[in-house]
């Protein structure tokens, strides 16, 4: 299989509220808009928020979003009224994480990769 492009699709209960959250509160840039949906740039990927769901998110899936400074992002989002599920902390695997929720309760993991973390190192040369 050859993958040419990809994106995550979510179906919010209230599309207008979700668009305001992802585009306004989180400040994600719009890649494209179409009747009933918006596709946002999500770092090196895309997030499509379209359609409508009668229920909130199901299961324990989460969006993983890398940021430069997780504590600053948490502070900014708290000020905007975003629900913080888990405060910023360094996890046993060395990443700094803060968990927030979108308007439907979907978990979004904000992640900061410290400068000395193995993710930042090219282990092929060692």
């Amino acid at each position: 299989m050859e993958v040419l492009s990809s994106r995550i699709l979510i179906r919010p209960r209230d599309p207008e509220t979700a668009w305001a959250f992802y585009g306004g509160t989180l400040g994600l840039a719009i890649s494209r808009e179409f009747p009933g949906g918006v596709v946002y740039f999500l770092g090196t990927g895309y997030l499509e928020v379209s359609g409508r769901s009668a229920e909130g998110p199901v299961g324990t899936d989460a969006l993983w979003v890398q940021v430069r400074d997780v504590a600053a992002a948490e502070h900014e989002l708290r000020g905007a009224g975003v629900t913080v599920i888990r405060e910023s902390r360094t996890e046993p695997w060395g990443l700094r994480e803060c968990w927030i929720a979108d308007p439907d309760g979907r978990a979004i993991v904000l992640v900061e990769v410290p400068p000395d973390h193995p993710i930042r190192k090219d282990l092929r040369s060692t």
Side-chain angles (χ1 to χ4, degrees), residues 38-67:
V38 178
V39 178
Y40 298 97
F41 288 106
L42 191 61
T44 58
Y46 298 93
L47 173 67
E48 179 179 320
V49 182
S50 63
R52 184 181 298 269
S53 172
E55 303 171 7
V58 177
T60 57
D61 295 340
L63 297 175
W64 191 94
V65 179
Q66 184 178 348
V67 298

Side-chain angles (χ1 to χ4, degrees), residues 32-113:
R32 72 184 203 89
E33 297 178 274
F34 54 91
V38 178
V39 178
Y40 298 97
F41 288 106
L42 191 61
T44 58
Y46 298 93
L47 173 67
E48 179 179 320
V49 182
S50 63
R52 184 181 298 269
S53 172
E55 303 171 7
V58 177
T60 57
D61 295 340
L63 297 175
W64 191 94
V65 179
Q66 184 178 348
V67 298
R68 290 191 191 283
D69 184 333
V70 76
E74 177 185 356
H75 178 76
E76 177 184 340
L77 295 172
R78 275 186 190 278
V82 173
T83 300
V84 174
I85 300 169
R86 198 168 75 196
E87 296 181 347
S88 297
R89 68 181 186 212
T90 301
E91 298 294 349
W93 44 90
L95 298 175
R96 301 244 336 121
E97 295 185 5
C98 172
W99 289 50
I100 62 171
D102 80 355
D104 287 327
R106 181 175 292 101
I108 300 172
V109 183
L110 304 177
V111 179
E112 175 185 339
V113 181

